[in-house]
Amino acid sequence: MTMKKIVLTLVAAMAFTFSFAKSDQADKRFDMNCDIYRLAVVLDLDDRQMDAVEENLEIFSNEMKSLATLKGPQLRFKIHQAVVKDARQMRQVLNDKQFHDYMRILGVTLRNRNLLARW
């Protein structure tokens, strides 16, 4: 009887550990925080743009983190909505070249994190 309790406790502890590690790893996929200074160099942002981009990225990152619990078509739809909203906000701040470069970087990031649907 005691051995059975020990084994069941061990199995429960392992299951809890693995489920926690899996959810933690899934959450990292949705973390869109980035080094704003490196992005500013790549996009050649001025001070005004940098402040606005930093604020927009924080909003986008928080929105993406809130999607970590969703799955399937609902997840793809919500990611699409978040990206469109972010693109609209960035479009108001960035010029054409900067916006094109930003969208390219965002697309690569989403693909690398397996968050962008492939058609």
Side-chain angles (χ1 to χ4, degrees):
M1 190 71 144
T2 307
M3 185 64 151
K4 185 177 179 181
K5 286 182 180 179
I6 292 172
V7 170
L8 289 176
T9 304
L10 182 62
V11 169
M14 289 177 66
F16 177 73
T17 303
F18 290 135
S19 68
F20 179 73
K22 183 179 178 184
S23 68
D24 187 40
Q25 187 170 2
D27 290 344
K28 289 181 182 177
R29 281 184 12 183
F30 292 89
D31 184 8
M32 295 292 144
N33 288 326
C34 68
D35 185 356
I36 188 68
Y37 299 105
R38 288 178 64 189
L39 186 63
V41 169
V42 170
L43 297 180
D44 192 29
L45 301 177
D46 61 28
D47 290 336
R48 180 193 60 81
Q49 288 176 317
M50 191 166 153
D51 291 339
V53 166
E54 186 173 17
E55 185 177 315
N56 289 343
L57 284 176
E58 185 176 336
I59 292 167
F60 179 64
S61 182
N62 290 337
E63 194 167 346
M64 289 296 290
K65 285 178 189 176
S66 72
L67 303 179
T69 59
L70 302 177
K71 296 193 184 295
Q74 185 181 18
L75 173 63
R76 287 193 300 272
F77 178 71
K78 292 290 188 176
I79 288 173
H80 175 75
Q81 282 185 323
V83 169
V84 168
K85 181 180 173 185
D86 182 55
R88 282 188 191 131
Q89 291 173 340
M90 290 298 191
R91 190 71 178 127
Q92 295 174 356
V93 176
L94 305 174
N95 64 34
D96 290 339
K97 182 183 180 329
Q98 291 169 328
F99 180 73
H100 175 74
D101 290 344
Y102 173 76
M103 292 307 292
R104 186 174 43 83
I105 292 167
L106 180 59
V108 168
T109 302
L110 292 172
R111 268 192 234 71
N112 286 344
R113 294 180 184 187
N114 201 21
L115 294 174
L116 188 64
R118 298 168 200 249
W119 290 286

